[in-house]
Amino acid sequence: MKIINAPEEMQKQAQLLRQSGEDIGFVPTMGFLHEGHLSLIRIARENSDVVVVSIFVNPTQFGPNEDLSAYPRDFERDEKLCRDAGADILFYPTPENMYLNDHSIWLSEDALSCVLCGASRPGHFRGVCTVVAKLLNIVLPDIMVLGEKDAQQLRVLRRMVRDMNFPVRIVSGPTVREADGLALSSRNKYLTPAERKEAACLFRALEKAKALFAAGERDAFRLKSAMLAVIEKTSGKVDYIELVDDETLQPVQTLEKPALAALAVKFSKARLIDNAGLW
Ligand code: AMP
């Protein structure tokens, strides 16, 4: 596995690979890898000739009071995990070579980004779209593999690729969970042992909504109340609990079309998100 730091060198490599007819599969990450990331690397491995993983804690998607400096990092461990999972190239740029001092071009999405995490984290998806657009121009992948764990991000990036004509196909991978249902996340590291026990409440709330939906419940208010009741039994503070249209991400009152149950819950240091499709 080759490690590349400079965007220019990565782009040159990608051009050479494409010229020789190799299909590039790309998995963008912020590092501190876990089995969720590795499952995406394996999907890329199965669907392309050359697998590129990027590790970049993108400063522009963090708000001023968010956890940019505290975000967990362990490059040596990540490098080994990437190698073992079958990555061919690890792209590991610095913030300085991704964003010049006078960087002044931004890409934002104006519909899907306005709700859920976009409403709680102003500017977040502008940072995500901008960095992923840059990464696509640097890595030149045929496919990009993203996790369904970040359902809104997946939809925003699909829209970006569609609306900006990026020549890449997005493939998604299912959420990988701990035995008790907690979705794997680099931010789970922030949980205290007591909070870790409680944190499966997001999954339990989603399971509750799925069970009620399966039993015929279609009223969003009642479904949300049932989810809230699960979270309220813990020390977690609800950031949002929403039932949204699966395509537009607009809140729904009655579930008539495929919907997404999505929630964000704050523990002392960790803000956790999760989602489930209701259809
Ligand atoms: P991150 O490093 O958190 O920015 O995530 C990088 C990629 O991994 C994104 O496409 C995420 O959606 C995906 N991902 C994060 N957690 C999981 C998980 N538990 N299962 C599957 N994919 C995940």
Side-chain angles (χ1 to χ4, degrees):
M1 185 181 74
K2 201 175 206 162
I3 299 172
I4 300 182
N5 301 113
E8 304 72 28
E9 191 191 336
M10 181 66 242
Q11 198 177 45
K12 185 86 213 142
Q13 271 291 323
Q15 279 164 340
L16 290 173
L17 287 166
R18 288 186 76 109
Q19 277 159 19
S20 54
E22 308 266 26
D23 270 2
I24 302 177
F26 176 45
V27 183
T29 82
M30 298 209 299
F32 209 68
L33 303 180
H34 50 64
E35 191 51 41
H37 299 112
L38 302 183
S39 70
L40 304 183
I41 298 176
R42 288 186 205 109
I43 293 175
R45 183 72 282 159
E46 282 160 21
N47 289 279
S48 43
D49 302 318
V50 176
V51 175
V52 180
V53 177
S54 66
I55 294 183
F56 182 57
V57 183
N58 173 37
T60 67
Q61 71 190 64
F62 287 77
N65 300 316
E66 292 183 358
D67 57 339
L68 173 62
S69 57
Y71 196 84
R73 292 160 168 91
D74 189 342
F75 182 72
E76 271 169 36
R77 182 173 160 276
D78 286 351
E79 182 191 337
K80 182 171 177 344
L81 289 172
C82 280
R83 205 184 291 274
D84 293 349
D88 299 295
I89 299 179
L90 177 53
F91 177 48
Y92 181 53
T94 62
E96 292 71 28
N97 58 27
M98 284 294 277
Y99 294 103
L100 300 181
N101 280 338
D102 54 355
H103 177 99
S104 56
I105 300 283
W106 301 94
L107 226 154
S108 52
E109 191 284 330
D110 282 351
L112 306 171
S113 303
C114 302
V115 294
L116 307 176
C117 289
S120 316
R121 305 182 65 187
H124 171 67
F125 286 111
R126 184 177 90 140
V128 169
C129 287
T130 303
V131 81
V132 173
K134 285 169 68 65
L135 289 168
L136 289 173
N137 285 333
I138 294 166
V139 176
L140 306 174
D142 297 272
I143 67 162
M144 171 165 67
V145 189
L146 300 173
E148 285 156 21
K149 151 91 183 350
D150 296 280
Q152 185 175 18
Q153 171 172 279
L154 174 62
R155 283 156 183 75
V156 168
L157 292 175
R158 279 195 194 286
R159 181 66 62 90
M160 179 184 89
V161 161
R162 186 197 77 178
D163 286 359
M164 300 307 291
N165 306 88
F166 279 99
V168 67
R169 183 164 66 88
I170 293 182
V171 174
S172 68
T175 302
V176 178
R177 299 177 179 282
E178 301 278 7
D180 64 356
L182 174 65
L184 297 192
S185 163
S186 309
R187 289 188 165 102
N188 292 350
K189 186 181 159 50
Y190 299 146
L191 296 165
T192 65
E195 289 173 337
R196 168 62 194 86
K197 285 198 187 119
E198 294 183 317
C201 65
L202 282 85
F203 177 71
R204 286 201 303 273
L206 292 167
E207 288 293 293
K208 180 82 198 167
K210 280 193 336 204
L212 290 171
F213 181 79
E217 181 61 83
R218 295 292 181 269
D219 181 75
F221 180 77
R222 282 200 292 269
L223 288 165
K224 284 193 277 187
S225 304
M227 292 172 70
L228 179 62
V230 176
I231 306 298
E232 279 180 345
K233 290 202 187 93
T234 72
S235 64
K237 301 274 172 295
V238 172
D239 180 358
Y240 64 76
I241 293 181
E242 278 296 353
L243 283 166
V244 296
D245 182 277
D246 184 64
E247 221 177 280
T248 65
L249 297 186
Q250 289 307 302
V252 291
Q253 285 178 351
T254 309
L255 281 73
E256 286 156 349
K257 291 199 296 173
L260 197 68
L263 74 171
V265 176
K266 282 184 184 156
F267 289 90
S268 54
K269 289 212 178 88
R271 177 180 175 280
L272 305 182
I273 59 170
D274 206 343
N275 69 89
L278 298 180
W279 54 77

